[in-house]
Amino acid sequence: MGERLRRLRPRRGALPYLLLLPALALELLIHLVPMVVGIVMSFKQLTQFFIRDWSAAPWTGLGNYRMAVDFSAPVGRSLLNSFWTTCCFTILSVGISWLLGTAAAIYMQDAFRGRGILRALFLVPYALPVYAAVITWSFMFQRDTGLINHVLVDQLHLMDDKPFWLIGDNSFTALVVVSVWKSWPFAFLTLMAGLQNIPKELYEASSMDGAGVWQQIRKITLPSLRPVNQVLVLVLFLWTFNDFNTPYVLFGKSAPEAADLISIHIYQSSFVTWNFGVGSAMSVLLLLFLLLVTAVYLFLTSRRRDADA
């Protein structure tokens, strides 16, 4: 009996793979299978007439892709405008989030009274559910009853009239504000962990040599945080460029033109106009773009790291 049980036991070399098998199966089911289905759909003329049996939709080859990248046509022009809007939004959101996270992480390194409470407050936006937080922001951005206009117009008197924040050109500003508020605590948490690995002796030695605070940040802190920043910026970029929840909850199904991010644009092309083939083609193009940007970024950062070594 004991010999039979020993034979049924997995070998030590196979045990890690058996433990990973459930996670791999779920990854295939949740991510890879829908991705393959979406790629297949991008080659079909899948409209509302074939929703019941999408496999019966006729093949169009690269027709959906040609329609998406035809920038002289309305579909291509709107997609290009959404792409540039998303690029500007991502650069602003990631840049401001990184600056705020870096400043807060550096400030929190020195011990002072109430530092623990302040750290917890800084992490509140990261801990709150996205939908609850963005819905609260949507109420705050209301023109007549919102807190933002009440403070800016009624209390501080910075504006003469109460502006609309959720429609028109101001919608882009509102979207950036909400995105930064939601993202910067993650940058703060990541950089604060990275600062723990910098030896205190470096700051003490530089202080004895007469280096000021800004010189220490420029010569010690930022170079030491470079490996952390390389991963942090990439993660923030991917999260922000793909962000769907924030604009969807803030503006609804139809975002204003100034805040028409590519994630919302693809959603509208798929579930509002019922052209799932074109929407799938746009999704595949977005995937290829993000893969290209990630590959170039990793190549440049690894090349710079090898040069510094």
Short mmCIF file of all heavy atoms in Angstrom, two decimals, residues 100-101 103-105 107-108 112 115-127 181-182 184-186 188-189 192:
data_model
loop_
_atom_site.label_atom_id
_atom_site.label_comp_id
_atom_site.label_asym_id
_atom_site.label_seq_id
_atom_site.Cartn_x
_atom_site.Cartn_y
_atom_site.Cartn_z
N LEU A 100 3.81 63.86 -8.23
CA LEU A 100 3.21 63.88 -6.91
C LEU A 100 3.67 62.71 -6.05
O LEU A 100 3.97 62.87 -4.86
CB LEU A 100 1.68 63.86 -7.03
CG LEU A 100 1.03 65.11 -7.62
CD1 LEU A 100 -0.48 64.91 -7.76
CD2 LEU A 100 1.31 66.34 -6.76
N GLY A 101 3.74 61.53 -6.66
CA GLY A 101 4.20 60.37 -5.91
C GLY A 101 5.64 60.49 -5.46
O GLY A 101 5.98 60.13 -4.33
N ALA A 103 7.36 63.38 -4.96
CA ALA A 103 7.44 64.41 -3.93
C ALA A 103 6.93 63.91 -2.59
O ALA A 103 7.56 64.13 -1.54
CB ALA A 103 6.65 65.65 -4.37
N ALA A 104 5.80 63.21 -2.60
CA ALA A 104 5.24 62.70 -1.35
C ALA A 104 6.13 61.62 -0.74
O ALA A 104 6.32 61.58 0.49
CB ALA A 104 3.84 62.15 -1.59
N ALA A 105 6.70 60.73 -1.57
CA ALA A 105 7.56 59.67 -1.05
C ALA A 105 8.82 60.24 -0.42
O ALA A 105 9.27 59.79 0.64
CB ALA A 105 7.90 58.70 -2.16
N TYR A 107 9.18 63.28 0.81
CA TYR A 107 8.79 64.03 2.02
C TYR A 107 8.53 63.09 3.19
O TYR A 107 8.80 63.44 4.35
CB TYR A 107 7.55 64.87 1.71
CG TYR A 107 7.03 65.64 2.88
CD1 TYR A 107 7.71 66.76 3.36
CD2 TYR A 107 5.85 65.26 3.51
CE1 TYR A 107 7.22 67.47 4.46
CE2 TYR A 107 5.36 65.96 4.59
CZ TYR A 107 6.04 67.06 5.06
OH TYR A 107 5.56 67.77 6.14
N MET A 108 7.99 61.89 2.91
CA MET A 108 7.63 60.97 3.97
C MET A 108 8.81 60.16 4.52
O MET A 108 8.63 59.36 5.43
CB MET A 108 6.56 59.99 3.45
CG MET A 108 5.19 60.61 3.28
SD MET A 108 4.49 61.09 4.87
CE MET A 108 3.03 61.94 4.31
N PHE A 112 8.36 62.48 11.38
CA PHE A 112 7.74 63.65 11.99
C PHE A 112 6.42 63.22 12.60
O PHE A 112 5.90 62.14 12.30
CB PHE A 112 7.53 64.77 10.97
CG PHE A 112 6.70 64.40 9.79
CD1 PHE A 112 5.32 64.54 9.80
CD2 PHE A 112 7.29 63.89 8.64
CE1 PHE A 112 4.56 64.19 8.71
CE2 PHE A 112 6.53 63.53 7.54
CZ PHE A 112 5.16 63.68 7.58
N ARG A 115 3.14 61.24 10.81
CA ARG A 115 3.52 60.70 9.50
C ARG A 115 2.68 59.47 9.14
O ARG A 115 2.28 59.30 7.98
CB ARG A 115 5.00 60.35 9.49
CG ARG A 115 5.49 59.84 8.14
CD ARG A 115 6.98 59.57 8.13
NE ARG A 115 7.35 58.48 9.03
CZ ARG A 115 8.55 57.89 9.04
NH1 ARG A 115 9.49 58.33 8.21
NH2 ARG A 115 8.82 56.92 9.88
N GLY A 116 2.41 58.62 10.11
CA GLY A 116 1.61 57.43 9.83
C GLY A 116 0.20 57.76 9.37
O GLY A 116 -0.33 57.15 8.44
N ILE A 117 -0.41 58.75 10.02
CA ILE A 117 -1.77 59.15 9.62
C ILE A 117 -1.76 59.74 8.22
O ILE A 117 -2.64 59.47 7.39
CB ILE A 117 -2.33 60.16 10.64
CG1 ILE A 117 -2.44 59.50 12.01
CG2 ILE A 117 -3.68 60.69 10.18
CD1 ILE A 117 -2.90 60.44 13.10
N LEU A 118 -0.74 60.56 7.93
CA LEU A 118 -0.65 61.18 6.61
C LEU A 118 -0.43 60.13 5.52
O LEU A 118 -0.99 60.23 4.42
CB LEU A 118 0.47 62.21 6.60
CG LEU A 118 0.43 63.26 5.49
CD1 LEU A 118 -0.88 64.02 5.52
CD2 LEU A 118 1.60 64.22 5.62
N ARG A 119 0.37 59.12 5.80
CA ARG A 119 0.57 58.03 4.84
C ARG A 119 -0.75 57.32 4.55
O ARG A 119 -1.07 57.01 3.39
CB ARG A 119 1.59 57.04 5.38
CG ARG A 119 3.05 57.44 5.23
CD ARG A 119 3.93 56.34 5.77
NE ARG A 119 5.34 56.66 5.58
CZ ARG A 119 6.34 55.89 6.01
NH1 ARG A 119 6.07 54.76 6.65
NH2 ARG A 119 7.60 56.24 5.79
N ALA A 120 -1.51 57.05 5.61
CA ALA A 120 -2.80 56.38 5.41
C ALA A 120 -3.75 57.24 4.58
O ALA A 120 -4.47 56.73 3.71
CB ALA A 120 -3.42 56.05 6.76
N LEU A 121 -3.76 58.54 4.81
CA LEU A 121 -4.62 59.43 4.04
C LEU A 121 -4.20 59.47 2.57
O LEU A 121 -5.06 59.53 1.67
CB LEU A 121 -4.59 60.84 4.64
CG LEU A 121 -5.27 61.01 5.99
CD1 LEU A 121 -5.09 62.44 6.51
CD2 LEU A 121 -6.75 60.68 5.91
N PHE A 122 -2.90 59.44 2.31
CA PHE A 122 -2.42 59.46 0.94
C PHE A 122 -2.87 58.21 0.17
O PHE A 122 -3.06 58.27 -1.05
CB PHE A 122 -0.90 59.56 0.91
CG PHE A 122 -0.38 60.93 1.19
CD1 PHE A 122 0.98 61.15 1.36
CD2 PHE A 122 -1.23 62.01 1.27
CE1 PHE A 122 1.47 62.42 1.60
CE2 PHE A 122 -0.75 63.29 1.52
CZ PHE A 122 0.60 63.49 1.69
N LEU A 123 -3.03 57.10 0.86
CA LEU A 123 -3.38 55.84 0.20
C LEU A 123 -4.88 55.62 0.09
O LEU A 123 -5.31 54.61 -0.48
CB LEU A 123 -2.75 54.67 0.95
CG LEU A 123 -1.21 54.61 0.94
CD1 LEU A 123 -0.71 53.46 1.80
CD2 LEU A 123 -0.69 54.48 -0.48
N VAL A 124 -5.68 56.54 0.60
CA VAL A 124 -7.14 56.38 0.53
C VAL A 124 -7.64 56.29 -0.91
O VAL A 124 -8.46 55.42 -1.23
CB VAL A 124 -7.83 57.52 1.30
CG1 VAL A 124 -9.33 57.57 0.97
CG2 VAL A 124 -7.65 57.33 2.79
N PRO A 125 -7.21 57.17 -1.83
CA PRO A 125 -7.70 57.04 -3.22
C PRO A 125 -7.38 55.69 -3.86
O PRO A 125 -8.16 55.20 -4.69
CB PRO A 125 -6.98 58.19 -3.95
CG PRO A 125 -6.65 59.17 -2.89
CD PRO A 125 -6.36 58.36 -1.67
N TYR A 126 -6.24 55.11 -3.50
CA TYR A 126 -5.87 53.81 -4.06
C TYR A 126 -6.70 52.68 -3.48
O TYR A 126 -6.93 51.67 -4.14
CB TYR A 126 -4.38 53.56 -3.81
CG TYR A 126 -3.85 52.32 -4.45
CD1 TYR A 126 -3.77 52.19 -5.83
CD2 TYR A 126 -3.40 51.24 -3.67
CE1 TYR A 126 -3.28 51.05 -6.43
CE2 TYR A 126 -2.90 50.10 -4.26
CZ TYR A 126 -2.85 50.00 -5.63
OH TYR A 126 -2.36 48.86 -6.20
N ALA A 127 -7.18 52.87 -2.23
CA ALA A 127 -7.94 51.81 -1.56
C ALA A 127 -9.42 51.86 -1.89
O ALA A 127 -10.12 50.84 -1.79
CB ALA A 127 -7.75 51.91 -0.05
N TRP A 181 -5.80 61.81 -9.36
CA TRP A 181 -6.20 61.52 -7.99
C TRP A 181 -6.23 60.02 -7.71
O TRP A 181 -5.88 59.57 -6.62
CB TRP A 181 -7.58 62.12 -7.74
CG TRP A 181 -8.12 61.88 -6.36
CD1 TRP A 181 -7.89 62.62 -5.23
CD2 TRP A 181 -8.98 60.80 -5.96
NE1 TRP A 181 -8.56 62.08 -4.17
CE2 TRP A 181 -9.24 60.97 -4.58
CE3 TRP A 181 -9.57 59.74 -6.63
CZ2 TRP A 181 -10.06 60.09 -3.88
CZ3 TRP A 181 -10.38 58.87 -5.94
CH2 TRP A 181 -10.62 59.05 -4.57
N LYS A 182 -6.61 59.25 -8.71
CA LYS A 182 -6.72 57.80 -8.55
C LYS A 182 -5.38 57.08 -8.68
O LYS A 182 -5.18 56.03 -8.08
CB LYS A 182 -7.71 57.27 -9.60
CG LYS A 182 -8.03 55.80 -9.53
CD LYS A 182 -9.19 55.46 -10.43
CE LYS A 182 -8.88 55.79 -11.87
NZ LYS A 182 -7.89 54.87 -12.47
N TRP A 184 -1.96 58.54 -8.47
CA TRP A 184 -0.72 58.96 -7.82
C TRP A 184 -0.42 58.21 -6.52
O TRP A 184 0.76 58.02 -6.19
CB TRP A 184 -0.72 60.47 -7.58
CG TRP A 184 -1.42 60.93 -6.32
CD1 TRP A 184 -2.71 61.29 -6.20
CD2 TRP A 184 -0.83 61.07 -5.03
NE1 TRP A 184 -2.99 61.64 -4.91
CE2 TRP A 184 -1.84 61.52 -4.17
CE3 TRP A 184 0.44 60.86 -4.51
CZ2 TRP A 184 -1.62 61.77 -2.83
CZ3 TRP A 184 0.66 61.10 -3.16
CH2 TRP A 184 -0.36 61.55 -2.34
N PRO A 185 -1.42 57.72 -5.74
CA PRO A 185 -1.05 56.93 -4.56
C PRO A 185 -0.28 55.66 -4.88
O PRO A 185 0.56 55.23 -4.09
CB PRO A 185 -2.41 56.63 -3.92
CG PRO A 185 -3.30 57.72 -4.36
CD PRO A 185 -2.87 58.01 -5.76
N PHE A 186 -0.56 55.07 -6.04
CA PHE A 186 0.22 53.88 -6.43
C PHE A 186 1.68 54.25 -6.67
O PHE A 186 2.60 53.51 -6.27
CB PHE A 186 -0.39 53.25 -7.68
CG PHE A 186 0.40 52.09 -8.21
CD1 PHE A 186 0.37 50.86 -7.58
CD2 PHE A 186 1.19 52.23 -9.34
CE1 PHE A 186 1.11 49.79 -8.06
CE2 PHE A 186 1.93 51.16 -9.83
CZ PHE A 186 1.89 49.93 -9.19
N PHE A 188 3.19 56.78 -5.31
CA PHE A 188 3.71 57.10 -3.98
C PHE A 188 4.10 55.83 -3.23
O PHE A 188 5.19 55.75 -2.63
CB PHE A 188 2.67 57.90 -3.20
CG PHE A 188 2.87 57.92 -1.72
CD1 PHE A 188 3.94 58.60 -1.16
CD2 PHE A 188 1.98 57.26 -0.88
CE1 PHE A 188 4.13 58.61 0.21
CE2 PHE A 188 2.16 57.27 0.48
CZ PHE A 188 3.25 57.95 1.04
N LEU A 189 3.24 54.82 -3.25
CA LEU A 189 3.51 53.57 -2.53
C LEU A 189 4.73 52.86 -3.11
O LEU A 189 5.59 52.36 -2.37
CB LEU A 189 2.28 52.68 -2.59
CG LEU A 189 2.33 51.36 -1.83
CD1 LEU A 189 2.45 51.63 -0.35
CD2 LEU A 189 1.07 50.54 -2.11
N MET A 192 7.94 54.95 -2.39
CA MET A 192 8.27 54.91 -0.97
C MET A 192 8.94 53.59 -0.60
O MET A 192 9.88 53.56 0.21
CB MET A 192 7.00 55.11 -0.14
CG MET A 192 7.25 55.28 1.35
SD MET A 192 5.73 55.72 2.25
CE MET A 192 4.70 54.30 1.87
#
